[in-house]
Amino acid sequence: MPHGTYPKPNKISAHSPHLISILELAEGLKMETEEGSDAACIPILKPTDESELEKQWRLYEAYNELHGLAQEFQTPFEAPAVLVVGHQTDGKSALVEALMGFQFNHVGGGTKTRRPITLHMKYDPLCELPRCRLVSNSDADSDPSIFVAEEMSLLEIQAYIEAENMRLERDPCQFSTKEIIIKVEYKYCPNLTIIDTPGLIAPAPGPKNRALQSQARAVESLVRAKMQHKEFIILCLEDCSDWSNATTRRVVMQIDPELSRTVIVSTKLDTKIPQFARSSDVEVFLSPPACTLDGFILGDSPFFTSVPSGRVGSGPDSVYRTNDEFKQAISLREEEDVKSLEEKLGRSLSKQERSRIGVSKLRFFLEELLQKRYMDSVPLIIPLLEKEYRSTTRKLNEINQELSTLDEVKLKEKGRTFHDLFLTKLSLLLKGTVVAPPDKFGETLQDERTNGGAFVATDGVQFPHKLIPNAGMRLYGGAQYHRAMAEFRFVVGGTKCPPITREEIVNACGVEDIHDGTNYSRTACVIAVAKARDTFEPFLHQLGGRLLHILKRLLPISVYLLQKDGEYLSGHEVFLRRVASAFNKFAESTERACREKCMEDLVSTTRYVTWSLHNKNRAGLRQFLDSFGGAEESTMGGNPLTAGPHHDSSLGSAANERQYTKPKADVKLSHLASSADSTSSIQTTETRLADLLDSTLWNRRLAPSSERLVYALVQQIFHGIREYFLASAELKFNCFLLMPVVDKLPALLREDLESAFEDDLDNIFDITNLQHSLGLRKRDTEIELKRIKRLKEKFKQIHEQLSSHQVVLRPSMISLG
């Protein structure tokens, strides 16, 4: 028999041993009912006629086939399953084994499960020993759609799981999300799909436990990802006697805050019963207040289970020789738990309370719940399969169409068409669009600064990003370009002239080539152009880098738009890389050329001072110079030679300016030569001129008026350079970076493509590899199409089976007790 196939039952006769076993099972359950045993409502096989039993058998077969198909199907549809979640030492793996009716995994302290284990359990009353198959796609080379189910013994399954755990223990990740899938048939198995997850870890804080803390985060991330599947029923295990301690629920409620798809199980009941001193404590434990569980859990109340310790085997340490003994021990443990609880309470347990105590009660509840979920989900699967079938058919037609166009003429035409569509998307992004999602492609100003560089002044201070308009918005394309320019204007426009020290003024004075006097206008020019060059040059490079980043981001967004509109050339990776490389090279070279043009302007502006250009604020300078004479007279007491020096190492202080400008004089510098020597208290014009020359030209001991003159001139020159630099840089980047994308890029890209077509068309489109890859894709798609078709037909049959047996099943649902 091929791997992964199940034998179909033969026709069951009245004297068949199969029928006798089923009848014995039904009679046994009926006897338990007559004895008054409490149990959940479970489907019971009534010994009616042969055809009825065949229908019931097919119903179980339909359920089990549905388990297998749902897990193997790789498209997103709801496949209900039970996901077991708990901390280490909560008894998670032991409970899974008890639900299955036999032991197969390693149970104990520490991490025993490093990969989720998916168990497709099938009830088979005729299977005396567990029959296990390990599911894998090891033959994917021959048919990727076929999952091989290799039959293994329990020892081989245990060895495989242990080997995987040891391998992952040495792996840096230590855990894997890939499931180990095992199919199980056994007479004690319920019809369930259970996923056993790695145990959650609660490490101690502190630097010594960082390795364990890292493992805990990895496990919690894995378990949270599994719980995200809305179709999974979460089996939340808690090992506590006080329901206010929500150890596992804390993690579960992050995904299922209302516990609406969660079954809560209190494990190790046999160890908790002796801890209760009063019957009221037991009452609260068995029926916790609704506010304690913070939700509406499945089943309305927790389940309580105990799994007897001891392993099955033939060794001296084994407690049970067979799985039958293990199963019997589980049943005895349930009876002892009920008896102990009744002794503690001083009364008999009610039917409702009994239905929540024991592994068998939990198993019946889960099986009934999961079967109902399957029956509800089957009608929804069929239209989903129809949709997937149509989608795969369309994909196969596209591959065939692409294979038919692999000739030179058609490939060139496809390349030129893509060129035009790509440029259209670029233009659309610059002009403005909302087609591309901002949450995926947009950048806030903070993101833009991180990825493209920030505008940083010479003092290392950044302009607060919150003050820039639209700083918090996620922008791309032309909107992002405009915001970057606005920030450039804000930052550069608000840049102040760096402080000027007395030492800088003295060093800038130097010595003339024809006399040793002081030329303060030259001094001011030397200082101003040096300060301006050092201040503005970094901004120029930062602007270029920022705008280049914004332009390069247009490429992936354009590709997204092409893919969204179905205009992308999938499979032609070499050609697409050629287009991307040409675009990036164009952007880089254009930005570099534009920045060089701006640099030429900055160099010319800071190399030679033209007063008509640099002195933009003549009115302010004239007002300052008008007060110069009065301030000179007041500060020097009419004699500049006797005025004391002003000992300030840094100029530009507002307090000093107020001190200097406080006296208001009516005498202007232009009137000094025409002043009349009318009284002895007023100096002659010649004396004043001599004093002025002495204090400014002949004397290098800086007077306050000299410092103020230099400072005022530097401020005016720096201000003029800043205004010219700001306007020039913005204009040039708009003209020589932004506009070439619109008017020069199309021709350059077309020229590059035509050159590539003429030189090496085969390598540009990689025709040989493309034919090979398309052939593989066609083969895989054809296999996928056949698989979907096969699954679609099977699900239709299952749906018809379930629809016809829903009526049959309901009369057989009887309450035991």
Side-chain angles (χ1 to χ4, degrees):
M1 182 185 304
H3 288 312
T5 59
Y6 295 101
K8 294 186 177 179
N10 296 323
K11 187 174 181 66
I12 301 177
S13 66
H15 302 287
S16 170
H18 293 189
L19 177 59
I20 294 172
S21 299
I22 296 174
L23 294 178
E24 288 175 352
L25 174 65
E27 286 296 326
L29 292 171
K30 185 176 180 182
M31 288 174 61
E32 290 183 9
T33 305
E34 293 171 352
E35 292 172 1
S37 175
D38 291 320
C41 288
I42 59 173
I44 302 300
L45 298 173
K46 289 185 175 181
T48 53
D49 54 16
E50 180 180 344
S51 62
E52 182 69 18
L53 288 173
E54 286 184 0
K55 292 178 181 178
Q56 292 283 3
W57 181 274
R58 287 198 301 271
L59 180 62
Y60 278 116
E61 283 295 307
Y63 276 131
N64 288 294
E65 187 176 13
L66 187 59
H67 283 300
L69 293 177
Q71 192 58 229
E72 292 171 8
F73 193 52
Q74 299 300 310
T75 54
F77 72 95
E78 293 191 353
V82 177
L83 185 74
V84 185
V85 179
H87 280 76
Q88 286 183 356
T89 72
D90 278 354
K92 185 168 50 60
S93 296
L95 178 60
V96 172
E97 290 182 339
L99 290 170
M100 296 176 64
F102 66 93
Q103 297 177 348
F104 76 101
N105 201 357
H106 289 268
V107 177
T111 302
K112 300 299 182 184
T113 306
R114 295 187 178 273
R115 280 178 63 182
I117 301 175
T118 299
L119 300 162
H120 296 301
M121 295 185 286
K122 174 186 176 182
Y123 166 73
D124 187 351
L126 308 178
C127 192
E128 294 293 330
L129 295 175
R131 185 183 182 189
C132 302
R133 290 181 173 88
L134 182 66
V135 178
S136 65
N137 58 345
S138 57
D139 288 346
D141 292 337
S142 60
D143 191 343
S145 69
I146 296 178
F147 284 79
V148 178
E150 181 182 358
E151 187 168 351
M152 290 185 173
S153 66
L154 285 179
L155 290 177
E156 290 173 332
I157 293 285
Q158 290 174 347
Y160 177 81
I161 295 174
E162 184 179 3
E164 280 297 289
N165 288 336
M166 292 179 64
R167 178 184 67 82
L168 289 169
E169 192 173 356
R170 297 187 299 267
D171 192 88
C173 298
Q174 298 209 334
F175 296 92
S176 172
T177 58
K178 187 177 181 181
E179 299 174 1
I180 297 175
I181 302 176
I182 302 172
K183 290 184 176 181
V184 182
E185 300 172 51
Y186 189 38
K187 64 180 179 179
Y188 294 134
C189 273
N191 287 286
L192 290 177
T193 293
I194 292 183
I195 304 173
D196 186 15
T197 60
L200 297 168
I201 305 172
K208 294 183 179 180
N209 298 300
R210 285 176 180 169
L212 196 59
Q213 292 165 5
S214 176
Q215 286 188 33
R217 289 191 294 271
V219 173
E220 185 167 332
S221 175
L222 186 153
V223 173
R224 283 166 58 93
K226 289 294 180 184
M227 289 192 294
Q228 293 285 356
H229 295 273
K230 301 295 184 183
E231 67 274 13
F232 286 173
I233 299 166
I234 302 172
L235 199 65
C236 174
L237 273 54
E238 296 278 18
D239 181 15
C240 61
S241 56
D242 184 358
W243 288 110
S244 60
N245 295 325
T247 52
T248 306
R249 276 176 290 148
R250 176 190 63 81
V251 179
V252 171
M253 293 182 71
Q254 295 176 15
I255 307 300
D256 184 21
E258 297 297 325
L259 299 176
S260 58
R261 55 186 180 95
T262 299
V263 178
I264 295 179
V265 180
S266 175
T267 59
K268 304 180 183 179
L269 177 61
D270 54 336
T271 64
K272 296 181 177 61
I273 297 175
Q275 300 175 17
F276 297 113
R278 296 177 300 178
S279 60
S280 59
D281 295 335
V282 182
E283 296 279 5
V284 173
F285 181 64
L286 292 179
S287 301
C291 61
T292 307
L293 294 180
D294 296 325
F296 302 95
I297 61 174
L298 289 174
D300 300 326
S301 180
F303 284 83
F304 304 88
T305 62
S306 298
V307 179
S309 59
R311 306 300 293 170
V312 175
S314 57
D317 297 331
S318 301
V319 177
Y320 311 109
R321 295 301 173 189
T322 63
N323 286 306
D324 287 346
E325 291 184 16
F326 173 62
K327 185 71 171 62
Q328 186 177 6
I330 294 174
S331 301
L332 292 175
R333 183 71 264 169
E334 290 183 19
E335 296 176 5
E336 292 173 6
D337 287 344
V338 171
K339 183 178 179 182
S340 299
L341 285 171
E342 290 179 340
E343 290 177 356
K344 284 284 184 180
L345 290 169
R347 63 173 177 83
S348 298
L349 293 175
S350 66
K351 176 185 174 182
Q352 178 67 21
E353 289 171 336
R354 280 176 174 265
S355 68
R356 296 292 182 266
I357 297 171
V359 174
S360 64
K361 309 302 189 298
L362 175 63
R363 182 173 71 172
F364 292 147
F365 174 79
L366 292 176
E367 185 173 12
E368 184 184 22
L369 179 62
L370 200 62
Q371 287 179 353
K372 184 179 183 302
R373 293 287 180 94
Y374 269 117
M375 293 176 71
D376 293 341
S377 64
V378 167
L380 303 177
I381 294 171
I382 296 173
L384 205 62
L385 282 168
E386 294 282 1
K387 180 181 178 182
E388 189 68 19
Y389 184 81
R390 291 192 300 269
S391 175
T392 308
T393 303
R394 185 170 57 252
K395 189 190 305 181
L396 182 61
N397 292 335
E398 290 173 356
I399 293 174
N400 288 328
Q401 178 66 24
E402 195 167 357
L403 280 170
S404 66
T405 59
L406 291 183
D407 62 79
E408 291 190 6
V409 176
K410 292 183 178 179
L411 285 175
K412 288 181 180 180
E413 187 60 33
K414 287 173 66 174
R416 296 184 183 107
T417 303
F418 178 83
H419 162 271
D420 296 337
L421 294 171
F422 173 67
L423 293 174
T424 302
K425 303 303 182 187
L426 280 179
S427 177
L428 181 64
L429 289 171
L430 290 175
K431 293 177 180 178
T433 180
V434 294
V435 179
D439 57 340
K440 183 177 181 180
F441 294 105
E443 282 186 337
T444 64
L445 184 58
Q446 195 63 32
D447 296 333
E448 186 180 320
R449 287 181 173 184
T450 302
N451 300 325
F455 295 118
V456 182
T458 52
D459 55 3
V461 178
Q462 293 187 29
F463 196 82
H465 71 277
K466 293 182 179 180
L467 301 180
I468 305 298
N470 304 326
M473 294 186 180
R474 292 169 294 191
L475 305 181
Y476 55 77
Q480 188 177 11
Y481 181 93
H482 185 272
R483 184 180 62 188
M485 272 300 186
E487 184 187 5
F488 177 73
R489 286 194 300 271
F490 267 96
V491 174
V492 176
T495 302
K496 303 295 183 183
C497 180
I500 306 168
T501 65
R502 295 169 62 87
E503 289 179 344
E504 287 178 321
I505 296 176
V506 173
N507 279 302
C509 289
V511 177
E512 295 287 344
D513 57 351
I514 197 169
H515 67 89
D516 62 354
T518 306
N519 185 350
Y520 284 113
S521 61
R522 181 189 181 280
T523 300
C525 292
V526 170
I527 296 173
V529 296
K531 297 285 185 182
R533 177 73 175 268
D534 293 341
T535 301
F536 298 127
E537 185 174 353
F539 286 129
L540 186 59
H541 294 283
Q542 292 163 11
L543 177 63
R546 177 78 73 84
L547 297 182
L548 179 61
H549 164 72
I550 294 172
L551 286 183
K552 283 187 173 183
R553 291 187 66 244
L554 297 176
L555 179 62
I557 306 176
S558 300
V559 169
Y560 167 81
L561 296 180
L562 290 168
Q563 291 173 334
K564 185 174 182 294
D565 295 339
E567 300 165 344
Y568 188 68
L569 286 180
S570 57
H572 300 277
E573 301 302 328
V574 177
F575 171 77
L576 295 173
R577 285 197 298 268
R578 178 71 178 249
V579 174
S581 175
F583 173 77
N584 288 329
K585 287 180 180 178
F586 171 80
E588 291 170 0
S589 62
T590 306
E591 183 275 331
R592 184 169 53 252
C594 178
R595 183 161 34 87
E596 289 173 355
K597 292 179 184 293
C598 294
M599 196 64 201
E600 289 178 359
D601 278 356
L602 180 61
V603 169
S604 63
T605 313
T606 56
R607 184 176 182 182
Y608 188 83
V609 176
T610 304
W611 291 106
S612 61
L613 176 66
H614 291 73
N615 183 19
K616 293 293 185 182
N617 190 5
R618 295 190 181 186
L621 182 61
R622 188 182 301 278
Q623 182 180 359
F624 165 76
L625 292 177
D626 285 348
S627 64
F628 185 85
E632 185 77 16
E633 181 179 343
S634 174
T635 305
M636 298 181 179
N639 187 359
L641 293 174
T642 61
H646 181 70
H647 299 286
D648 186 11
S649 61
S650 179
L651 302 180
S653 169
N656 290 336
E657 287 193 18
R658 285 194 300 269
Q659 177 183 346
Y660 294 150
T661 59
K662 203 169 186 180
K664 296 295 183 180
D666 296 331
V667 182
K668 298 184 179 180
L669 288 175
S670 57
H671 297 163
L672 287 177
S674 61
S675 298
D677 189 4
S678 57
T679 62
S680 59
S681 62
I682 300 176
Q683 295 178 333
T684 62
T685 302
E686 292 79 3
T687 304
R688 286 188 177 184
L689 185 57
D691 291 342
L692 179 60
L693 291 174
D694 181 67
S695 62
T696 59
L697 183 61
W698 300 330
N699 189 355
R700 297 215 171 198
R701 185 180 62 180
L702 288 179
S705 58
S706 303
E707 293 181 31
R708 292 179 61 221
L709 177 62
V710 173
Y711 176 75
L713 290 173
V714 169
Q715 292 294 324
Q716 294 301 314
I717 297 170
F718 186 89
H719 175 76
I721 295 174
R722 182 187 65 195
E723 296 300 314
Y724 180 80
F725 168 75
L726 183 59
S728 173
E730 184 174 1
L731 181 62
K732 280 187 167 51
F733 271 99
N734 286 337
C735 292
F736 299 111
L737 179 63
L738 181 61
M739 293 307 298
V741 176
V742 178
D743 53 29
K744 288 187 178 179
L745 177 62
L748 290 174
L749 271 184
R750 175 59 67 92
E751 182 181 348
D752 183 77
L753 289 180
E754 295 297 335
S755 174
F757 291 163
E758 295 298 328
D759 295 341
D760 200 357
L761 180 66
D762 184 68
N763 287 334
I764 287 298
F765 284 100
D766 201 7
I767 297 176
T768 304
N769 289 334
L770 184 59
Q771 287 175 334
H772 178 69
S773 63
L774 285 175
L776 292 178
R777 281 174 55 196
K778 180 180 178 181
R779 170 181 166 274
D780 293 342
T781 307
E782 288 173 342
I783 293 172
E784 184 70 12
L785 192 63
K786 292 178 182 178
R787 176 169 168 262
I788 293 173
K789 184 179 180 180
R790 183 173 67 248
L791 289 173
K792 184 176 64 169
E793 293 171 353
K794 286 187 176 182
F795 270 103
K796 283 183 178 180
Q797 294 175 0
I798 291 171
H799 178 53
E800 293 172 358
Q801 256 183 331
L802 294 179
S803 300
S804 62
H805 285 89
Q806 282 179 356
V807 179
V808 176
L809 182 62
R810 285 169 187 151
S812 302
M813 290 292 235
I814 62 174
S815 178
L816 299 183

